[in-house]
Amino acid sequence: MSERVTAMKTLRIGAFALAGRFPGQSDAEALHRTVRTAVVADETGLDAVWLAEHHFVPYGVCPSATTLAALLLGRTRHIRVGTAISVLTTTHPVALGEQAALLHIASGGRFALGVGRGGPWIDLEVFGGGVEALEKGFPESLDLLLRWLRGASVGADGDRYRFREVAVVPRAADGPPVLVACTSPGTVREAARRGLPMLLGMHIGDEEKAHMVALWRAAAAEAGVDGDTIAAADHVSVGVAQVADSQSEAVEALRRALPGWLRQGLAAHRTVDGRPRRMRDPLAYTELLCELHPVGPPQLCADRLAATAERTGITRFALLVEGSGGTATTETNVRRLADEVLPLLPVHAEPRGAAARGTTAVAEAHAVSSPAAPATG
């Protein structure tokens, strides 16, 4: 392992839960699997669990990441719970800010808020705002959210939101960490200008993520963000993890389940204005995910995570662990990730909870001072 990697900060490994409804499952089964993912991740010492939010599609059956986060913060004791993401385009920034502050305060600082622009889906028609909100309204919404989380009172006089000044209640002295899902250069620059870390999706590899980090740093410096903030930016790399005794076994587990879920989930998306959309080929996308991410035996998984950290400078990960589709198999995957992969990483902290469980030692990720799969942005 290179000298640069061993000198890095702790690699912090979290779970990413989409609450996807796989073929033949009910919504209740999908949500139960996500709850179990968070509980087991907390027991085994993972860094965080990140929750996705979708509407009207089986790709993900959680319509409110903050609501599910509230439940999971109550079910867990140590782990950070974040949204990846809460869609800001279809949510009033003040309403989301109130929810985020409430969760941050009530959980003792274990909540992180990941936000994103979202996509051109029918959600915009149902919840209002339309294409205008998607294409032009995100910066205004993001600034209003940040002012709410950082201020004592807030008013608005923008193109979309206008209201007299009101008191911020509940108010946290230090609000929750905020991250931005970025899939386009424009959104990278919006996040950078505000010094906000990025969530980078599982559909891209290390080279593109490294390019986006470099763009973020340049844009942040150009906007006058101070050097300490730039250096400390805690970006998150979203990926897929499937741990097995061999690479072929891990890949086969995903090949059996992921294409069916992707096929029905992606096909269900409807655009707001009838614009044409290109859907990824489910089989090809599954193969890509297996090539890019920690899918295989423990040492291969650890090596891929360390390589991503070295190539991109990102040391925090949100890994989709439910790719097998089943609750029991997902729980096993989370435990193997914690018990067998974390101790192989170049930098990890002392174990937590293994002795109480009577299992092999697990590596506990370091506590963090700032933290949320990205939607489009």
Side-chain angles (χ1 to χ4, degrees):
M1 202 62 67
S2 79
E3 197 171 304
R4 178 186 169 194
V5 173
T6 56
M8 293 172 70
K9 298 184 296 181
T10 299
L11 271 62
R12 289 154 297 162
I13 310 302
F16 175 43
L18 272 162
R21 187 214 304 154
F22 286 70
Q25 293 180 350
S26 67
D27 293 344
E29 289 175 283
L31 290 167
H32 175 67
R33 185 180 63 246
T34 288
V35 172
R36 288 299 305 161
T37 294
V39 171
V40 174
D42 187 56
E43 291 173 355
T44 56
L46 292 189
D47 170 66
V49 60
W50 299 93
L51 306 172
E53 175 178 295
H54 295 88
H55 298 279
F56 322 124
V57 292
Y59 184 77
V61 301
C62 171
S64 171
T66 52
T67 300
L68 187 54
L71 172 71
L72 297 183
L73 286 165
R75 295 279 183 94
T76 58
R77 295 180 57 197
H78 308 285
I79 203 166
R80 184 182 291 279
V81 179
T83 63
I85 58 168
S86 294
V87 182
L88 194 51
T89 309
T90 54
T91 305
H92 196 294
V94 170
L96 183 59
E98 288 180 325
Q99 294 164 24
L102 175 63
L103 295 178
H104 177 68
I105 294 168
S107 68
R110 288 197 292 127
F111 177 71
L113 179 63
V115 298
R117 189 185 300 269
W121 312 126
I122 198 170
D123 313 17
L124 295 165
E125 176 183 328
V126 175
F127 298 113
V131 175
E132 181 83 4
L134 176 69
E135 296 180 345
K136 299 181 180 179
F138 184 69
E140 179 186 341
S141 294
L142 183 58
D143 284 337
L144 178 53
L145 172 69
L146 294 175
R147 287 195 293 119
W148 187 267
L149 292 174
R150 297 168 178 173
S153 62
V154 173
D157 188 24
D159 293 333
R160 187 175 184 192
Y161 299 108
R162 296 185 181 189
F163 54 86
R164 291 173 291 168
E165 192 163 297
V166 292
V168 173
V169 179
R171 183 189 177 200
D174 55 339
V178 178
L179 299 88
V180 178
C182 297
T183 61
S184 70
T187 308
V188 171
R189 293 187 180 94
E190 294 292 353
R193 282 195 285 266
R194 296 161 178 82
L196 299 175
M198 299 181 291
L199 285 151
L200 299 178
M202 62 186 179
H203 60 291
I204 57 175
D206 293 347
E207 184 176 352
E208 190 168 349
K209 286 179 179 178
H211 174 74
M212 294 175 82
V213 170
L215 174 61
W216 185 96
R217 294 176 66 87
E222 184 180 350
V225 177
D226 69 87
D228 289 343
T229 298
I230 294 174
D234 207 6
H235 307 300
V236 176
S237 176
V238 181
V240 174
Q242 189 66 38
V243 188
D245 292 337
S246 68
Q247 187 174 12
S248 59
E249 181 183 342
V251 170
E252 184 57 31
L254 296 184
R255 283 176 179 162
R256 284 195 301 266
L258 275 185
W261 165 60
L262 291 169
R263 186 174 292 108
Q264 72 170 14
L266 296 175
H269 281 89
R270 297 165 58 195
T271 56
V272 64
D273 52 4
R275 69 179 66 182
R277 53 180 292 263
R278 182 178 61 85
M279 188 179 82
R280 288 179 177 269
D281 175 80
L283 290 172
Y285 191 29
T286 297
E287 297 297 328
L288 175 66
L289 295 175
C290 291
E291 292 172 7
L292 293 178
H293 301 301
V295 176
Q299 189 63 61
L300 181 148
C301 292
D303 289 346
R304 286 190 176 178
L305 289 167
T308 294
E310 183 168 14
R311 292 167 185 157
T312 67
I314 300 173
T315 57
R316 171 170 278 187
F317 295 83
L319 301 176
L320 179 70
V321 292
E322 61 184 2
S324 65
T327 299
T329 52
T330 296
E331 289 188 30
T332 298
N333 193 34
V334 173
R335 292 189 186 280
R336 294 196 69 172
L337 181 63
D339 291 353
E340 300 176 40
V341 177
L342 262 63
L344 298 175
L345 294 175
V347 186
H348 62 274
E350 294 302 315
R352 181 187 79 212
R357 296 198 317 273
T359 63
T360 56
V362 300
E364 178 188 4
H366 284 173
V368 295
S369 60
S370 63
T376 54

